[in-house]
Amino acid sequence: MRPAVSLLFAAALAAAASMTAAPAPPTPSGSIIVSVRDPRIAYEGRVAFEGDAARMGFPGIVIRFVYRGPAPTLRLGAGSPDCYFNLSCNGWDPVVIRLNQGENAIALPTGVAPPAGWLVELVRRTEAWQGLAACQGLVLPPGCELLPPPSWPARRLMFIGDSITGGEYDERFPPEDDNSPRTTNAARAFGMLLGRWLNAQVHLVSYGGRGVLRDWQGNTDTNNAPQFFERTMPDDPASRWNHADYVPDVVVVAFGQNDFSKDLPDEARYTQKYDAFVGQVRTAYPHAGILLAELSLFGLTPGSPDFAKREQLHRVLVNVVARRRAAGDGRIAETPVGYYPGTPTNAHPVAFQHEQIARELEGPIKALAGW
């Protein structure tokens, strides 16, 4: 059984955090402000350190810290009222935090800590177009002790894709008809699930509505995959990501849904564009396994427009892999993925369908990584 003090702590955490966060108050006298750059605050995912803030655009970014004694106050900033996080402690089921636009303060509940302290974990649920967020550090009251966080796993995965990769609307399920950002939860997307199953770090480099060639509206002049793959903040051309900061064992590339949203693209042009993007990934990560996933919302009815899209996407990925292997790249593969059409009112896969997607990708990832 879990100790009663943990139950009390969990209840207090739920009461404190299952609502909109409070605006940031003045710093209490005698408190210590801990910088976002302090090594006792750990990050997983692409984070841009600017001044006293760790800015976040991509979904699935994880922040961890451990404390004992009187509880610290977590300071977060939000660029919109649609920024959501999961907040959990010592592995308990997370509560949902919705940030106010502007500055926020989350006062964590105080309880008798176990010897290892309270491990607090925040996961960014939402993505760039729903609002940017920033961690602005911790405020430690007198007597609060910040401890070193646990190490991240040695294995590393990266998932590059669109809204499906980011877990958009994956917690939306009938009879509820909620299309709000609250139903987006990157922590339950297939890539984050695979990270937990395979004991691996995960970077989600994903943007809803974008493709390799064009976005869901057919635009080729926006920041599609070749642009946002190079960035820390996906909409900021000046925010350049240093690929050496995170070298994955396997990169899963999952595009096609938005490239084919309007109609069938020219197959030769799309093949060239996809191949060029894979070349970008290979240049960034010369030794990683690269898995091209045929992940789409296209149906399986022969003769239908959706089936024609699925078939063309399959041909493109097979062609790209064949080209790369002929050129000497033996660490690349493609894999089919089944049809997971969400619900009758929203095509995005829901959480249990993400689990099914993850199961399909688990074997090919392990084969490429040698795990």
Side-chain angles (χ1 to χ4, degrees):
M1 292 181 63
R2 289 164 171 154
V5 65
S6 295
L7 294 172
L8 291 172
F9 186 98
L13 181 61
S18 61
M19 59 189 71
T20 302
T27 302
S29 176
S31 297
I32 299 172
I33 298 177
V34 178
S35 167
V36 293
R37 301 173 189 267
D38 191 294
R40 293 170 296 178
I41 303 176
Y43 305 88
E44 180 184 72
R46 293 189 177 187
V47 175
F49 292 97
E50 298 178 9
D52 294 326
R55 299 179 63 226
M56 295 168 275
F58 287 111
I61 293 169
V62 182
I63 303 172
R64 284 180 179 173
F65 58 90
V66 180
Y67 74 93
R68 279 199 299 243
T73 296
L74 173 66
R75 289 189 163 179
L76 295 170
S80 84
D82 293 328
C83 291
Y84 287 84
F85 283 81
N86 290 337
L87 191 155
S88 63
C89 184
N90 285 15
W92 286 81
D93 290 342
V95 292
V96 180
I97 299 288
R98 181 184 185 184
L99 300 184
N100 289 304
Q101 187 168 356
E103 295 187 351
N104 298 262
I106 300 171
L108 300 170
T110 296
V112 178
W118 296 118
L119 169 60
V120 175
E121 182 172 277
L122 287 100
V123 183
R124 177 164 158 81
R125 293 170 64 101
T126 45
E127 58 173 312
W129 68 268
Q130 294 164 320
L132 305 182
C135 178
Q136 298 165 332
L138 296 171
V139 180
L140 307 188
C144 180
E145 180 184 8
L146 203 60
L147 305 175
S151 299
W152 298 110
R155 293 174 172 180
R156 293 181 170 187
L157 297 172
M158 177 177 289
F159 297 86
I160 310 173
D162 50 32
S163 59
I164 303 175
T165 301
E168 188 170 332
Y169 304 133
D170 59 356
E171 291 190 343
R172 178 184 186 277
F173 200 79
E176 183 181 35
D177 189 21
D178 184 359
N179 279 317
S180 75
R182 185 184 183 91
T183 62
T184 293
N185 185 5
R188 298 183 73 177
F190 64 87
M192 299 293 279
L193 290 174
L194 283 161
R196 293 193 287 276
W197 295 349
L198 298 174
N199 191 31
Q201 296 182 58
V202 173
H203 277 210
L204 298 186
V205 184
S206 61
Y207 203 124
R210 306 300 166 88
V212 171
L213 172 66
R214 57 190 183 180
D215 69 8
W216 69 281
Q217 295 176 306
N219 297 318
T220 59
D221 57 353
T222 188
N223 58 326
N224 285 304
Q227 288 74 45
F228 70 70
F229 170 66
E230 304 292 345
R231 300 173 182 175
T232 311
M233 303 296 291
D235 290 310
D236 183 359
S239 182
R240 305 292 293 178
W241 174 251
N242 181 6
H243 293 293
D245 286 346
Y246 181 86
V247 180
D249 298 298
V250 175
V251 180
V252 177
V253 181
F255 287 103
Q257 179 62 37
N258 298 299
D259 291 304
F260 289 75
S261 179
K262 292 294 184 181
D263 51 30
L264 286 172
D266 177 81
E267 187 164 335
R269 184 187 181 200
Y270 189 61
T271 301
Q272 185 278 327
K273 194 71 174 180
Y274 209 117
D275 183 62
F277 179 64
V278 172
Q280 269 184 261
V281 176
R282 174 55 75 213
T283 298
Y285 309 117
H287 305 295
I290 299 177
L291 181 64
L292 310 185
E294 297 176 23
L295 179 60
S296 74
L297 304 181
F298 305 138
L300 297 170
T301 304
S304 68
D306 265 11
F307 191 74
K309 293 177 181 179
R310 177 178 284 271
E311 289 289 281
Q312 180 170 311
L313 178 61
H314 170 75
R315 290 194 301 270
V316 167
L317 299 193
V318 168
N319 194 342
V320 169
V321 170
R323 289 185 183 189
R324 293 277 154 184
R325 286 182 174 171
D329 189 346
R331 299 214 64 208
I332 186 169
E334 61 84 30
T335 186
V337 178
Y339 179 42
Y340 300 102
T343 70
T345 54
N346 191 298
H348 288 87
V350 294
F352 74 86
Q353 293 172 329
H354 275 270
E355 293 184 22
Q356 294 171 291
I357 294 168
R359 288 298 181 202
E360 290 202 46
L361 295 177
E362 184 177 11
I365 288 173
K366 292 168 72 173
L368 272 175
W371 295 342

